[in-house]
Amino acid sequence: MNDLVRQHTALSESDLDWLHMLVSEWQLLSDLSFADLVLWVPTLDGTRYVSVAQMRPNTGPTSYQDDMVGHLVPRGRRPLLDAALDEGRIVREGDPEWREEVPVRVESIPVRREGRVLGVIARNTNLLTVRTPSRLELTYLQSASDLAQMIAAGSFPFPGEQVDMDSSPRAGDGLMRLDADGVVQYASPNALSAYHRLGLAADLTGQHLGQITAELAPSRGPVDEALATMASGYAPREFEVEGNGGSIQLRAIPLKPKGTRIGSLVLLRDVTELRRRERELITKDATIREIHHRVKNNLQTVAALLRLQARRMDSEGGREALNEAVRRVGSIAIVHETLSQNLDERVEFDEIADRVIAMVAEISPGKVTCRRNGRFGILDAEVATPLAMVLTEILQNALEHAFAPGEQGTVEVTAVRGESRADARLLITVKDDGRGLPEGFDPQRAGNLGLQIVRTLVEGELGGGFDMQPGAEGGTRVVLDIPVQPQK
């Protein structure tokens, strides 16, 4: 719609925003009217109309099999559009049109904003299945007529009201028509069932909706005045009510077809099962986070015990082996700590990488500088945990073997991540400026435990590639190529 309006019309950005508000609401008008809606806007030169939006009803057959958006028609071909635009009134005159052997009644509703007519809604009703309407259908049609008059007067949609049509109740979910005092004139079967879920034993018709709703919803006082006011439909509001183990979502729409409120339209939906599933998911998420938190605590306890055991070791080799084990356990604990703070099983790995680098760098304080370049991005937990261990082993290996005791140096970790689905890989390079690899060293056959862990995790668990080679300017360069999920 943005492109069509800016290309063909003289409407301002504020006018375009108004049309967006209208289009976000007009599914309700389409459903209540049992009719297709097409929004026509006059072109810049005033000689044609361009259709910028279309809506089909959920409550009846469509009048248009084809998509009408983008069509241009000259002024004069559709007299009802001309009359509605020029006279600023709803036009219903004229005989039905025949489209592919289907009779269609066409009406034109001017779209007004701040006294100006921006365009015209063509309401097209398929008459092929017309029959004697029921009480529900009559209420729908009367409510649609009131909304159409409000659109023509510029009082609907309501300025400043943000409505999410994906989650808001629709006409078919449940509908009530209230008079000016908030008394229910008509309640659809779905609306009555929803209130029975809240504990209502009587009929809704003739009841004051605000008072009934406040009595059914538990509150500290005898009557919740704010809830009673909202449910009475005096102002446009969307809210939820819980009671008797049930939950219903309501949306109140004041009806002012001639400027004065004559009543209200209340849409409602039973969301009891939806809220129950949401609570179950919240409980499940909390349980998962608690498990990660406890795993982290247990790993930290194991690391503390290993560290304590290392202090009691007489053998220097045994002490160093236990300290390596402490760092390996610590890298896994960092991942679980991060997962315990998230709502899903994905983590921002840059923070984990920085903490791993800081943890490993403690073995050579003030001698070797470690830094990170680039971004790892968000990774799944099944990738983050082994990758944290791999990064720990490679950094530990570099700090222990690339530099002599007391020697100054630099270890640099660089991450490059492909952004497209075709290039969803993570390329990690760990480069040092130390003494380099021994002559004849083969990283694929080296018996060092750390390198065995790296090879096993990268090639076996992560399905990636691992290589260790001399740096172009000395030192050693380790390259990891790991497949990952595309970032969202």
Side-chain angles (χ1 to χ4, degrees):
M1 185 167 71
N2 288 348
D3 294 339
L4 289 170
V5 168
R6 290 167 182 157
Q7 179 182 354
H8 294 285
T9 77
L11 297 182
S12 65
E13 289 298 317
S14 58
D15 292 334
L16 179 57
D17 290 340
W18 182 265
L19 295 184
H20 275 292
M21 288 179 58
L22 174 65
V23 168
S24 71
E25 293 271 27
W26 70 345
Q27 178 71 66
L28 174 61
L29 177 62
S30 178
D31 289 346
L32 293 176
S33 303
F34 309 97
D36 292 74
L37 306 179
V38 180
L39 177 57
W40 297 93
V41 180
T43 57
L44 185 61
D45 58 9
T47 62
R48 297 181 296 176
Y49 297 96
V50 58
S51 58
V52 298
Q54 178 179 0
M55 179 58 65
R56 293 183 173 90
N58 294 317
T59 52
T62 183
S63 302
Y64 286 111
Q65 298 299 327
D66 299 326
D67 188 3
M68 295 295 297
V69 175
H71 282 216
L72 290 161
V73 297
R75 184 178 172 89
R77 179 176 295 179
R78 302 196 176 186
L80 296 185
L81 294 182
D82 298 339
L85 182 69
D86 297 339
E87 302 172 22
R89 65 181 180 88
I90 299 175
V91 181
R92 297 189 175 92
E93 298 88 353
D95 296 327
E97 297 180 3
W98 286 84
R99 300 175 188 163
E100 298 180 356
E101 300 183 355
V102 175
V104 176
R105 183 175 65 242
V106 181
E107 303 168 87
S108 295
I109 305 167
V111 177
R112 192 183 303 273
R113 175 180 180 262
E114 297 179 352
R116 296 180 298 114
V117 177
L118 306 183
V120 179
I121 295 176
R123 180 163 56 176
N124 304 268
T125 306
N126 187 325
L127 300 178
L128 199 61
T129 57
V130 168
R131 54 184 174 78
T132 303
S134 65
R135 177 85 184 277
L136 172 65
E137 292 166 335
L138 287 173
T139 304
Y140 272 31
L141 293 171
Q142 180 59 55
S143 301
S145 176
D146 293 335
L147 286 177
Q149 292 183 59
M150 291 169 64
I151 292 173
S155 58
F156 186 82
F158 302 109
E161 187 190 17
Q162 297 294 326
V163 178
D164 184 358
M165 294 308 297
D166 290 333
S167 60
S168 292
R170 299 193 176 190
D173 296 326
L175 177 143
M176 287 183 287
R177 176 88 183 211
L178 313 184
D179 65 14
D181 297 322
V183 176
V184 179
Q185 294 179 310
Y186 175 77
S188 71
N190 285 346
L192 185 59
S193 296
Y195 265 78
H196 284 168
R197 190 78 175 261
L198 288 182
L200 178 68
D203 193 1
L204 273 171
T205 304
Q207 303 274 10
H208 189 281
L209 185 65
Q211 295 177 0
I212 286 292
T213 304
E215 291 171 2
L216 293 173
S219 61
R220 295 181 180 178
V223 175
D224 188 331
E225 296 295 340
L227 180 59
T229 301
M230 287 190 293
S232 298
Y234 296 122
R237 291 287 186 273
E238 188 166 330
F239 55 98
E240 283 194 22
V241 176
E242 294 188 4
N244 195 40
S247 300
I248 60 173
Q249 181 182 12
L250 298 98
R251 183 189 176 198
I253 302 173
L255 297 176
K256 305 176 182 179
K258 297 182 180 179
T260 302
R261 194 176 72 85
I262 63 170
S264 305
L265 188 66
V266 178
L267 307 177
L268 67 155
R269 178 174 58 162
D270 186 344
V271 293
T272 304
E273 293 304 314
L274 178 62
R275 297 296 176 257
R276 182 184 63 80
R277 289 195 297 269
E278 287 178 351
R279 285 191 290 268
E280 288 179 351
L281 288 174
I282 291 172
T283 302
K284 179 181 177 181
D285 289 339
T287 302
I288 291 173
R289 289 198 298 272
E290 178 62 21
I291 289 172
H292 284 302
H293 182 71
R294 293 190 182 189
V295 170
K296 182 263 298 183
N297 288 344
N298 290 338
L299 290 172
Q300 288 180 336
T301 301
V302 171
L305 292 174
L306 291 172
R307 195 176 296 112
L308 181 63
Q309 185 66 34
R311 294 196 189 105
R312 295 174 175 268
M313 291 287 292
D314 296 329
S315 167
E316 182 65 26
R319 187 181 303 113
E320 185 56 35
L322 287 177
N323 284 331
E324 289 181 2
V326 168
R327 287 188 285 273
R328 288 165 183 152
V329 172
S331 65
I332 302 174
I334 290 173
V335 177
H336 281 283
E337 181 179 4
T338 306
L339 287 169
S340 70
Q341 300 168 1
N342 291 347
L343 292 176
D344 55 16
E345 291 291 288
R346 309 191 80 197
V347 295
E348 177 63 64
F349 196 79
D350 295 322
E351 177 187 351
I352 294 175
D354 291 340
R355 293 179 63 181
V356 167
I357 291 171
M359 178 184 68
V360 177
E362 290 177 358
I363 67 175
S364 57
K367 301 172 186 177
V368 179
T369 301
C370 298
R371 60 172 177 262
R372 172 179 64 86
N373 296 319
R375 292 191 67 249
F376 289 84
I378 298 175
L379 299 176
D380 293 334
E382 56 264 28
V383 175
T385 301
L387 183 57
M389 287 194 65
V390 167
L391 193 58
T392 300
E393 296 298 332
I394 294 175
L395 289 170
Q396 189 168 289
N397 188 71
L399 293 173
E400 287 184 356
H401 302 295
F403 305 97
E407 184 180 0
Q408 300 290 329
T410 302
V411 178
E412 190 173 272
V413 179
T414 303
V416 178
R417 183 161 180 171
E419 296 295 336
S420 66
R421 290 189 175 272
D423 186 30
R425 304 189 72 82
L426 181 61
L427 186 66
I428 305 167
T429 305
V430 182
K431 182 175 64 175
D432 67 66
D433 56 2
R435 68 185 69 173
L437 295 173
E439 187 175 348
F441 179 82
D442 183 358
Q444 301 301 328
R445 297 185 178 180
N448 179 285
L449 176 60
L451 291 180
Q452 290 182 14
I453 292 175
V454 170
R455 285 197 302 269
T456 301
L457 292 177
V458 172
E459 297 173 356
E461 190 161 342
L462 295 175
F466 160 70
D467 191 20
M468 178 182 282
Q469 53 195 238
E473 300 177 357
T476 304
R477 183 170 177 265
V478 179
V479 179
L480 306 175
D481 185 4
I482 300 171
V484 293
Q485 290 293 324
Q487 296 197 77
K488 297 180 180 179

